[in-house]
Short mmCIF file of all heavy atoms in Angstrom, two decimals:
data_model
loop_
_atom_site.label_atom_id
_atom_site.label_comp_id
_atom_site.label_asym_id
_atom_site.label_seq_id
_atom_site.Cartn_x
_atom_site.Cartn_y
_atom_site.Cartn_z
N PRO A 1 0.82 -1.23 0.00
CA PRO A 1 0.00 0.00 0.00
C PRO A 1 0.85 1.28 0.00
O PRO A 1 0.53 2.23 -0.71
CB PRO A 1 -0.83 -0.13 1.28
CG PRO A 1 -0.92 -1.61 1.52
CD PRO A 1 0.41 -2.15 1.07
N ARG A 2 1.93 1.29 0.78
CA ARG A 2 2.82 2.46 0.80
C ARG A 2 3.48 2.66 -0.56
O ARG A 2 3.56 3.77 -1.07
CB ARG A 2 3.88 2.29 1.89
CG ARG A 2 4.99 3.32 1.86
CD ARG A 2 4.52 4.70 2.28
NE ARG A 2 5.67 5.61 2.29
CZ ARG A 2 5.60 6.87 1.91
NH1 ARG A 2 4.45 7.39 1.54
NH2 ARG A 2 6.67 7.62 1.91
N PHE A 3 3.94 1.55 -1.16
CA PHE A 3 4.55 1.66 -2.48
C PHE A 3 3.55 2.22 -3.49
O PHE A 3 3.89 3.09 -4.29
CB PHE A 3 5.08 0.30 -2.98
CG PHE A 3 5.48 0.37 -4.43
CD1 PHE A 3 6.64 1.02 -4.80
CD2 PHE A 3 4.66 -0.16 -5.41
CE1 PHE A 3 6.99 1.13 -6.14
CE2 PHE A 3 5.00 -0.06 -6.75
CZ PHE A 3 6.17 0.59 -7.12
N ARG A 4 2.31 1.73 -3.46
CA ARG A 4 1.31 2.20 -4.43
C ARG A 4 1.02 3.68 -4.26
O ARG A 4 0.75 4.39 -5.23
CB ARG A 4 0.02 1.37 -4.33
CG ARG A 4 0.19 -0.08 -4.72
CD ARG A 4 0.58 -0.28 -6.18
NE ARG A 4 0.85 -1.68 -6.46
CZ ARG A 4 1.60 -2.11 -7.46
NH1 ARG A 4 2.16 -1.25 -8.30
NH2 ARG A 4 1.81 -3.39 -7.63
N GLU A 5 1.06 4.18 -3.03
CA GLU A 5 0.88 5.61 -2.79
C GLU A 5 2.03 6.40 -3.42
O GLU A 5 1.82 7.43 -4.07
CB GLU A 5 0.78 5.91 -1.29
CG GLU A 5 0.69 7.38 -0.95
CD GLU A 5 -0.45 8.11 -1.66
OE1 GLU A 5 -1.52 7.53 -1.88
OE2 GLU A 5 -0.25 9.30 -2.02
N LEU A 6 3.26 5.93 -3.22
CA LEU A 6 4.42 6.57 -3.83
C LEU A 6 4.31 6.54 -5.36
O LEU A 6 4.62 7.51 -6.04
CB LEU A 6 5.72 5.87 -3.39
CG LEU A 6 6.08 5.96 -1.91
CD1 LEU A 6 7.22 5.01 -1.59
CD2 LEU A 6 6.41 7.39 -1.52
N GLU A 7 3.82 5.40 -5.86
CA GLU A 7 3.67 5.24 -7.31
C GLU A 7 2.63 6.22 -7.86
O GLU A 7 2.86 6.85 -8.90
CB GLU A 7 3.27 3.80 -7.61
CG GLU A 7 3.15 3.49 -9.09
CD GLU A 7 2.90 2.03 -9.33
OE1 GLU A 7 1.90 1.47 -8.79
OE2 GLU A 7 3.70 1.42 -10.07
N ARG A 8 1.49 6.36 -7.16
CA ARG A 8 0.46 7.31 -7.61
C ARG A 8 1.03 8.71 -7.74
O ARG A 8 0.79 9.40 -8.73
CB ARG A 8 -0.72 7.34 -6.62
CG ARG A 8 -1.77 6.30 -6.88
CD ARG A 8 -3.02 6.52 -6.03
NE ARG A 8 -2.81 6.29 -4.61
CZ ARG A 8 -2.76 5.08 -4.03
NH1 ARG A 8 -2.94 4.00 -4.74
NH2 ARG A 8 -2.56 4.97 -2.75
N ARG A 9 1.81 9.13 -6.74
CA ARG A 9 2.41 10.47 -6.76
C ARG A 9 3.41 10.60 -7.91
O ARG A 9 3.43 11.62 -8.60
CB ARG A 9 3.09 10.77 -5.44
CG ARG A 9 2.11 11.16 -4.36
CD ARG A 9 2.83 11.76 -3.17
NE ARG A 9 2.44 11.02 -1.99
CZ ARG A 9 3.21 10.74 -0.98
NH1 ARG A 9 4.46 11.11 -0.96
NH2 ARG A 9 2.74 10.07 0.05
N ALA A 10 4.25 9.58 -8.08
CA ALA A 10 5.27 9.63 -9.14
C ALA A 10 4.62 9.68 -10.53
O ALA A 10 5.07 10.42 -11.41
CB ALA A 10 6.20 8.41 -9.02
N VAL A 11 3.57 8.89 -10.71
CA VAL A 11 2.88 8.87 -12.00
C VAL A 11 2.22 10.21 -12.28
O VAL A 11 2.35 10.77 -13.37
CB VAL A 11 1.84 7.72 -12.05
CG1 VAL A 11 0.91 7.87 -13.24
CG2 VAL A 11 2.54 6.37 -12.06
N ARG A 12 1.53 10.75 -11.29
CA ARG A 12 0.87 12.06 -11.47
C ARG A 12 1.91 13.12 -11.85
O ARG A 12 1.70 13.89 -12.79
CB ARG A 12 0.13 12.48 -10.20
CG ARG A 12 -0.54 13.85 -10.32
CD ARG A 12 -1.35 14.20 -9.07
NE ARG A 12 -2.49 13.32 -8.89
CZ ARG A 12 -3.65 13.45 -9.55
NH1 ARG A 12 -3.81 14.41 -10.41
NH2 ARG A 12 -4.64 12.61 -9.32
N ALA A 13 3.03 13.14 -11.15
CA ALA A 13 4.08 14.12 -11.46
C ALA A 13 4.61 13.93 -12.88
O ALA A 13 4.75 14.89 -13.64
CB ALA A 13 5.22 14.01 -10.44
N ALA A 14 4.89 12.68 -13.24
CA ALA A 14 5.44 12.42 -14.57
C ALA A 14 4.46 12.81 -15.68
O ALA A 14 4.85 13.42 -16.67
CB ALA A 14 5.83 10.95 -14.70
N LEU A 15 3.19 12.48 -15.49
CA LEU A 15 2.20 12.75 -16.54
C LEU A 15 1.88 14.23 -16.66
O LEU A 15 1.48 14.69 -17.74
CB LEU A 15 0.91 11.96 -16.29
CG LEU A 15 1.04 10.44 -16.39
CD1 LEU A 15 -0.29 9.77 -16.06
CD2 LEU A 15 1.56 9.99 -17.75
N THR A 16 2.04 14.99 -15.59
CA THR A 16 1.72 16.41 -15.65
C THR A 16 2.93 17.30 -15.92
O THR A 16 2.78 18.41 -16.41
CB THR A 16 1.02 16.88 -14.36
OG1 THR A 16 1.86 16.60 -13.24
CG2 THR A 16 -0.32 16.19 -14.17
N GLU A 17 4.13 16.80 -15.62
CA GLU A 17 5.33 17.65 -15.75
C GLU A 17 6.20 17.31 -16.95
O GLU A 17 6.98 18.14 -17.39
CB GLU A 17 6.21 17.49 -14.49
CG GLU A 17 5.55 17.91 -13.21
CD GLU A 17 6.34 17.44 -11.98
OE1 GLU A 17 7.44 16.87 -12.14
OE2 GLU A 17 5.84 17.66 -10.86
N HIS A 18 6.13 16.09 -17.45
CA HIS A 18 7.10 15.62 -18.44
C HIS A 18 6.49 15.64 -19.84
O HIS A 18 5.38 15.16 -20.05
CB HIS A 18 7.56 14.20 -18.08
CG HIS A 18 8.70 13.71 -18.90
ND1 HIS A 18 9.97 14.24 -18.82
CD2 HIS A 18 8.76 12.74 -19.84
CE1 HIS A 18 10.76 13.61 -19.66
NE2 HIS A 18 10.04 12.68 -20.30
N ASP A 19 7.25 16.17 -20.81
CA ASP A 19 6.72 16.23 -22.18
C ASP A 19 7.46 15.29 -23.13
O ASP A 19 7.36 15.43 -24.34
CB ASP A 19 6.73 17.67 -22.70
CG ASP A 19 8.13 18.26 -22.78
OD1 ASP A 19 9.10 17.59 -22.38
OD2 ASP A 19 8.25 19.41 -23.24
N GLY A 20 8.18 14.32 -22.58
CA GLY A 20 8.87 13.34 -23.41
C GLY A 20 8.16 12.00 -23.36
O GLY A 20 6.93 11.92 -23.47
N VAL A 21 8.94 10.94 -23.18
CA VAL A 21 8.41 9.58 -23.08
C VAL A 21 8.32 9.21 -21.60
O VAL A 21 9.26 9.47 -20.84
CB VAL A 21 9.32 8.58 -23.83
CG1 VAL A 21 8.81 7.15 -23.66
CG2 VAL A 21 9.43 8.95 -25.30
N VAL A 22 7.19 8.62 -21.20
CA VAL A 22 7.01 8.18 -19.82
C VAL A 22 6.80 6.67 -19.81
O VAL A 22 5.96 6.15 -20.55
CB VAL A 22 5.81 8.88 -19.14
CG1 VAL A 22 5.57 8.33 -17.73
CG2 VAL A 22 6.03 10.39 -19.07
N SER A 23 7.56 5.98 -18.96
CA SER A 23 7.40 4.55 -18.73
C SER A 23 6.82 4.36 -17.34
O SER A 23 7.41 4.79 -16.36
CB SER A 23 8.77 3.86 -18.83
OG SER A 23 8.69 2.53 -18.39
N LEU A 24 5.64 3.72 -17.28
CA LEU A 24 4.98 3.50 -16.00
C LEU A 24 5.32 2.12 -15.44
O LEU A 24 5.47 1.17 -16.21
CB LEU A 24 3.46 3.59 -16.14
CG LEU A 24 2.87 4.92 -16.61
CD1 LEU A 24 1.35 4.88 -16.50
CD2 LEU A 24 3.42 6.10 -15.83
N GLY A 25 5.38 2.03 -14.12
CA GLY A 25 5.57 0.74 -13.48
C GLY A 25 4.42 -0.19 -13.84
O GLY A 25 3.30 0.27 -14.13
N GLY A 26 4.67 -1.49 -13.83
CA GLY A 26 3.69 -2.47 -14.27
C GLY A 26 2.36 -2.41 -13.57
O GLY A 26 1.32 -2.68 -14.17
N GLY A 27 2.34 -2.03 -12.29
CA GLY A 27 1.09 -2.00 -11.54
C GLY A 27 0.41 -0.65 -11.46
O GLY A 27 -0.64 -0.51 -10.83
N ALA A 28 0.97 0.35 -12.11
CA ALA A 28 0.42 1.71 -12.01
C ALA A 28 -1.04 1.78 -12.47
O ALA A 28 -1.82 2.54 -11.91
CB ALA A 28 1.27 2.69 -12.82
N VAL A 29 -1.42 0.95 -13.44
CA VAL A 29 -2.78 0.99 -13.98
C VAL A 29 -3.82 0.45 -13.00
O VAL A 29 -5.02 0.59 -13.25
CB VAL A 29 -2.90 0.23 -15.32
CG1 VAL A 29 -2.04 0.87 -16.39
CG2 VAL A 29 -2.59 -1.24 -15.15
#
């Protein structure tokens, strides 16, 4: 659960801040 919370934050930051290619962790979906 703690990892998934960190993952949610990392994904949100990457998708809103990065304009290149983003690779998501396997369980992010």
Side-chain angles (χ1 to χ4, degrees):
R2 170 70 177 143
F3 170 74
R4 295 296 175 203
E5 176 55 35
L6 295 169
E7 183 174 56
R8 273 190 292 281
R9 282 193 234 144
V11 167
R12 178 176 295 280
L15 294 177
T16 57
E17 299 167 4
H18 189 68
D19 62 357
V21 177
V22 175
S23 170
L24 298 188
V29 297

